[in-house]
Amino acid sequence: MSFQLLLRLAGALLGCAVVSTSLSCKSMHASARGGWRPIFDGSSTNGWQMVGPGHFQLENGELVTHGGMGLFWYTREKFGDCRLRIVFQPTSGHDNSGVFIRIPEPPRDEWFAVHRGYEVQIENNGDLWHRTGCLYSFSPAKNVVQARVNEWNVLLITLEGKRTRVEVNGRLVTDFTEGDAVPPRTKEYEPERGLRPSSGYIGLQNHDDQQRVHFKEVSVAPLR
C-alpha cells in the first residue's frame, strides 16, 4: 500500500472519529440539558423487581398491570431531593393503581410499601383523600384532577426534604410535609400512620385483575 493511500485512509478514520465524538457530545449535552434520567424507558425492566401477586407485563414498550395486589419496585437506588416523572394511561374510568415513594427498605411483600411509604394514588372516583394525585388517605386533593382515560397523563412528584408535592397534568394536587395533621386510620387496608423517610425506594402498584393501567415512562431529575 502506497504512503499516500495510507495518509488518505488515516485522514478518513480521523474524520469519522471526530464526527462520532461530536455526535456523542451533542447527544450527551442534550440529555444533560433536559435533566431527566429514565429508570424505565420502555426498552427493558432491568433493575425492577416484583413482590406480591400479579405482574407487570412489558407490551409494546409499556408496562401494563395484570392481577394483584402487587408491587413492582426499582431496586437500584433510593430517591430523595429530586423530581420523579411518571407517564401513565388508564384504560377505563374505574382503573386503580398508584406510585409508591419513600419506601424505607427493600419491600418484603406488597403491604410493606403501603404501611411504610406513601402511595400517590391513581384512581378518579375516590373522595378528596383517596383519588388521583393524593397521598392515599394522608392528604386531601387541593385540586380535583381527572386522569384522562386512554390518553397519556403526566404525574410529577417533587421530593424535597420532608416535603412532597404532586402535580397531575400540570395542576397541583398534593403539598404535604412530614408532621402535617392527618386523619385517623379507619380501615384495615389504609396505611399505618407515622413519619416516612426523606428518601426511599419507589414502585408501581398493580391493584387487581380488573385494572389495566399502562406506564410508558418513569424518570428522575435533580430538583434544580
Side-chain angles (χ1 to χ4, degrees):
M1 185 179 292
S2 70
F3 182 69
Q4 289 81 3
L5 183 57
L6 282 171
L7 282 177
R8 286 200 297 273
L9 181 58
L13 289 172
L14 179 61
C16 287
V18 169
V19 170
S20 175
T21 302
S22 174
L23 288 174
S24 175
C25 292
K26 188 175 182 180
S27 175
M28 289 171 62
H29 180 68
S31 176
R33 188 168 59 241
W36 291 99
R37 171 172 61 90
I39 58 175
F40 171 72
D41 62 2
S43 62
S44 80
T45 57
N46 290 340
W48 293 82
Q49 183 174 313
M50 190 75 206
V51 293
H55 65 282
F56 276 75
Q57 191 163 308
L58 188 58
E59 301 176 5
N60 300 315
E62 302 163 12
L63 288 172
V64 184
T65 61
H66 289 267
M69 186 185 85
L71 174 72
F72 199 50
W73 68 287
Y74 190 67
T75 66
R76 290 179 173 171
E77 60 187 294
K78 291 183 175 182
F79 297 94
D81 288 333
C82 67
R83 295 173 294 153
L84 298 166
R85 182 172 65 197
I86 297 92
V87 181
F88 70 97
Q89 180 177 142
T91 57
S92 84
H94 297 279
D95 276 343
N96 193 328
S97 183
V99 178
F100 284 91
I101 57 173
R102 300 189 186 273
I103 307 170
E105 302 168 20
R108 299 181 291 273
D109 57 49
E110 66 274 21
W111 287 101
F112 185 85
V114 173
H115 295 307
R116 296 292 179 263
Y118 290 126
E119 179 188 358
V120 179
Q121 175 74 336
I122 295 174
E123 206 275 332
N124 282 340
N125 299 292
D127 61 27
L128 290 179
W129 296 84
H130 304 85
R131 61 173 300 108
T132 300
C134 289
L135 297 188
Y136 185 82
S137 88
F138 273 85
S139 66
K142 293 182 174 297
N143 293 291
V144 173
V145 180
Q146 299 285 112
R148 298 185 294 263
V149 176
N150 293 319
E151 296 182 35
W152 292 112
N153 300 266
V154 178
L155 194 64
L156 182 65
I157 303 170
T158 302
L159 305 176
E160 188 170 11
K162 297 180 178 182
R163 186 182 184 190
T164 302
R165 283 170 287 160
V166 181
E167 298 172 36
V168 181
N169 296 331
R171 295 186 67 195
L172 181 68
V173 178
T174 289
D175 192 343
F176 178 83
T177 301
E178 297 295 319
D180 285 354
V182 298
R185 182 176 180 238
T186 61
K187 301 176 178 65
E188 65 177 10
Y189 56 78
E190 286 191 326
E192 295 173 1
R193 295 341 194 195
L195 301 179
R196 273 45 174 175
S198 294
S199 67
Y201 295 104
I202 68 168
L204 308 175
Q205 184 190 64
N206 54 314
H207 190 271
D208 61 70
D209 208 32
Q210 305 305 310
Q211 320 296 324
R212 289 291 180 272
V213 179
H214 295 233
F215 296 86
K216 76 169 182 177
E217 179 192 341
V218 182
S219 296
V220 60
L223 285 177
R224 296 174 181 82

